[in-house]
Amino acid sequence: MNYALHFGAVWASFDKLLSGLAIGLGLAVAAVAIGCLLGILSAFASVSKLRLLRMVSGFYVLIIRNTPLLVLVLLAYFALPSAGIRLDKYESFIASLALYSGAYLTEVFRAGLLSVPKGIVEAARAIGLTRLQTNLHVVAPVMLRNVLPSLGNTFIGMFKDSSIAAAIAIPELTFEARKINVDTFRVVETWTVASGLYIAACFTIAFLLRRLERRFPKF
Amino acid sequence: MSDAAARPLLEIRGLKKSFGDVEVLKGVDLAVRPSEVVTIIGSSGSGKTTLLRCVNLLEEFQGGAIVLDGETIGYGEAGGRRRRLRDAELSRQRAMTGMVFQSFNLFPHLSALGNVMLGLRKVRRMAKDEARTLAADWLNRVGLGNRLDNVPSQLSGGQQQRVAIARALAMNPKLVLLDEITSALDPELVQEVLSVIRRIAADGATLLIVTHEMRFAREVSDRIVFMEKGRIAEEGPPSEIFGAARSARLAEFLRNSGH
């Protein structure tokens, strides 16, 4: 092995990697925010009394969870325009990742809903809250606190999946790293630094979520 | 006595309720007058709790009617057929009664104050300050004035149950339902909860109670109802029920309950 490490070439473009990281984080945050909303709605639908709602939710999870994200991203970016839906690459990627994370989050939130004690739902109904008010003010907050730990896992997963945006030329971290790699041929250095950045970012997300968990009292 | 005072606040007529093939209530008739304290006793499975849950519309029932303050609750007629009312109507009617549960059922994410305030804000639509003042006042009355900001997990069972009582009573219900509210408590915590109930009974609240605390029932009630197998087997003032028990079954039940 005569490979001498030269990080200089990577450091020269480090700002590109950082801006890539920021774009990746932005994509993930936007997608997960929409995904959470989708997931919560779909989870409530999955435990609904109405068969139709349960079926819609089940179908959504079935289709999306069994499609690779990369395929979903390519489909949204390249195939949707022929259906007359024109999204730019950022919009189409956020939509794909949101849809994808929504399917996974459906299961997370569903488990959370099932963990809400029946008694507190009855107590809420007993003081005269409507079904909607009960879900809004009692069920949802208790469920969210219960799922906070598993939510962290999903968040980290979705952030790492933002690397797939490289496939449609969004200049996020993986895309920038590949460019530096091609320009400098510093294969080991480039990908080592890129991995390091991913690890640091994930570690930070996990840390922040742990702090958030501690801020809300355990039940 | 005026008509309004003579009219029962709660009137249950021929109430029938089944869970699948099992008939739990087989035609129950019961009337409760304003400010009356009525206690239902009976062995487990006799239908006591189910009866309370029907009155609070937490259970559907198949036959009979429940009239609360002149209003038939839970069901209406549409095209000659008996139909369960819509959610908004049921919620409005539920707010006329307060219910305290065996297992407290406090909202775990809210403080004691928040637990009492939620209904005041969302159901009674009170302004925040007004709701806070009223909630704090009620928590004071149940002896928890120094625990306003504690969440349920920081409170003992007896304290949690007293928050639940404050939560029910702050809504100013016409009728309060107490469902075995001391059964989940350690013996030394039972009295602090019962003394709160004695006080609200003395203040003129109308109470329908299910309990296994016979001494308490005897002391606080105007009337005792003994249920057996989904029917009211016997009823009368405590002195009568606990005095010369009329049926052999009631005598046996009281003997087994330590009386």
Side-chain angles (χ1 to χ4, degrees):
Chain A
M1 274 263 300
N2 279 332
Y3 192 94
L5 289 173
H6 271 288
F7 281 97
V10 181
W11 297 140
S13 308
F14 194 61
D15 57 328
K16 288 268 172 52
L17 290 179
L18 283 181
S19 81
L21 180 67
I23 289 174
L25 278 171
L27 291 172
V29 167
V32 168
I34 303 170
C36 273
L37 213 65
L38 279 176
I40 289 174
L41 289 177
S42 165
F44 270 109
S46 76
V47 298
S48 162
K49 276 189 191 154
L50 299 175
R51 220 170 89 98
L52 180 71
L53 288 181
R54 289 202 307 272
M55 278 171 58
V56 169
S57 165
F59 192 66
Y60 164 54
V61 173
L62 177 82
I63 297 296
I64 299 297
R65 219 170 41 166
N66 293 325
T67 310
L69 178 60
L70 181 58
V71 173
L72 216 56
V73 167
L74 296 175
L75 196 71
Y77 188 52
F78 293 112
L80 277 187
S82 46
I85 303 171
R86 220 161 271 284
L87 301 171
D88 72 28
K89 53 190 177 188
Y90 291 95
E91 290 166 349
S92 87
F93 183 78
I94 289 172
S96 314
L97 190 56
L99 217 56
Y100 187 72
S101 62
Y104 278 90
L105 289 168
T106 297
E107 293 301 306
V108 172
F109 289 131
R110 200 174 104 87
L113 284 178
L114 296 177
S115 76
V116 174
K118 225 180 125 211
I120 66 170
V121 176
E122 290 192 338
R125 308 285 284 143
I127 54 175
L129 294 182
T130 62
R131 202 168 283 147
L132 181 67
Q133 286 175 323
T134 302
N135 283 336
L136 218 55
H137 302 295
V138 176
V139 177
V142 173
M143 174 269 275
L144 285 177
R145 175 59 187 86
N146 286 348
V147 303
L148 219 47
S150 35
L151 218 50
N153 267 333
T154 314
F155 279 179
I156 289 169
M158 293 305 138
F159 167 61
K160 287 189 296 180
D161 283 345
S162 70
S163 64
I164 285 181
I168 55 172
I170 290 180
E172 51 64 66
L173 180 50
T174 301
F175 182 86
E176 293 292 358
R178 200 167 51 185
K179 229 165 68 182
I180 295 168
N181 177 34
V182 170
D183 291 346
T184 65
F185 297 107
R186 287 288 155 195
V187 183
V188 177
E189 296 87 333
T190 309
W191 294 113
T192 306
V193 172
S195 310
L197 285 172
Y198 274 115
I199 291 168
C202 289
F203 186 81
T204 310
I205 296 173
F207 175 77
L208 291 176
L209 281 166
R210 198 66 53 77
R211 293 264 308 250
L212 193 67
E213 260 175 63
R214 239 177 291 150
R215 271 197 53 181
F216 290 98
K218 277 230 174 66
F219 300 147
Chain B
M1 215 185 232
S2 74
D3 272 4
R7 189 180 76 185
L9 177 69
L10 172 72
E11 201 178 353
I12 301 171
R13 287 192 298 247
L15 188 68
K16 287 187 178 176
K17 159 81 187 168
S18 306
F19 289 108
D21 292 338
V22 186
E23 196 171 33
V24 190
L25 298 175
K26 301 170 181 166
V28 173
D29 296 283
L30 178 68
V32 180
R33 291 187 307 276
S35 293
E36 195 180 16
V37 177
V38 175
T39 297
I40 306 171
I41 59 173
S43 44
S44 28
S46 61
K48 310 172 302 251
T49 289
T50 305
L51 182 62
L52 283 201
R53 292 171 59 85
C54 284
V55 173
N56 205 15
L57 304 175
L58 288 174
E59 299 288 352
E60 300 185 7
F61 47 92
Q62 287 78 35
I66 301 176
V67 180
L68 182 63
D69 202 20
E71 181 177 352
T72 301
I73 60 170
Y75 295 86
E77 283 213 359
R81 287 183 57 194
R82 179 177 182 270
R83 297 193 75 150
R84 185 88 167 158
L85 297 176
R86 286 178 310 117
D87 186 53
E89 274 296 288
L90 294 177
S91 299
R92 183 184 63 76
Q93 293 176 340
R94 278 196 194 100
M96 298 198 290
T97 59
M99 179 134 178
V100 183
F101 300 85
Q102 179 177 354
S103 47
F104 328 140
N105 297 351
L106 292 185
F107 309 131
H109 61 301
L110 297 176
S111 64
L113 203 57
N115 265 275
V116 183
M117 281 175 70
L118 186 63
L120 298 176
R121 297 272 290 136
K122 302 300 167 191
V123 179
R124 296 289 183 234
R125 307 227 168 261
M126 271 184 199
K128 198 167 188 174
D129 291 342
E130 195 187 348
R132 178 184 297 273
T133 309
L134 184 60
D137 183 43
W138 268 104
L139 286 167
N140 259 316
R141 282 207 234 178
V142 299
L144 293 172
N146 56 343
R147 295 291 195 166
L148 302 185
D149 296 320
N150 286 115
V151 290
S153 59
Q154 298 166 326
L155 300 171
S156 73
Q159 291 170 333
Q160 289 192 46
Q161 194 60 298
R162 284 184 282 152
V163 174
I165 292 168
R167 177 174 68 180
L169 285 163
M171 297 292 288
N172 193 21
K174 299 176 197 290
L175 170 71
V176 182
L177 309 166
L178 307 175
D179 184 16
E180 301 193 25
I181 61 170
T182 57
S183 299
L185 293 176
D186 294 335
E188 70 269 24
L189 300 178
V190 169
Q191 285 311 316
E192 70 183 53
V193 170
L194 292 186
S195 72
V196 169
I197 300 302
R198 280 187 199 100
R199 222 172 322 135
I200 62 171
D203 287 346
T206 312
L207 304 178
L208 186 55
I209 303 174
V210 167
T211 187
H212 292 293
E213 297 282 335
M214 291 303 153
R215 259 217 334 241
F216 168 73
R218 181 175 199 163
E219 154 204 348
V220 80
S221 314
D222 298 311
R223 194 146 49 97
I224 306 279
V225 171
F226 173 58
M227 278 187 77
E228 195 188 28
K229 295 186 181 129
R231 287 198 177 83
I232 291 181
E234 226 152 320
E235 64 175 293
S239 56
E240 228 172 79
I241 294 287
F242 290 107
R246 274 172 287 186
S247 69
R249 185 65 197 85
L250 173 56
E252 190 198 335
F253 170 74
L254 291 176
R255 207 166 38 244
N256 292 340
S257 320
H259 266 259

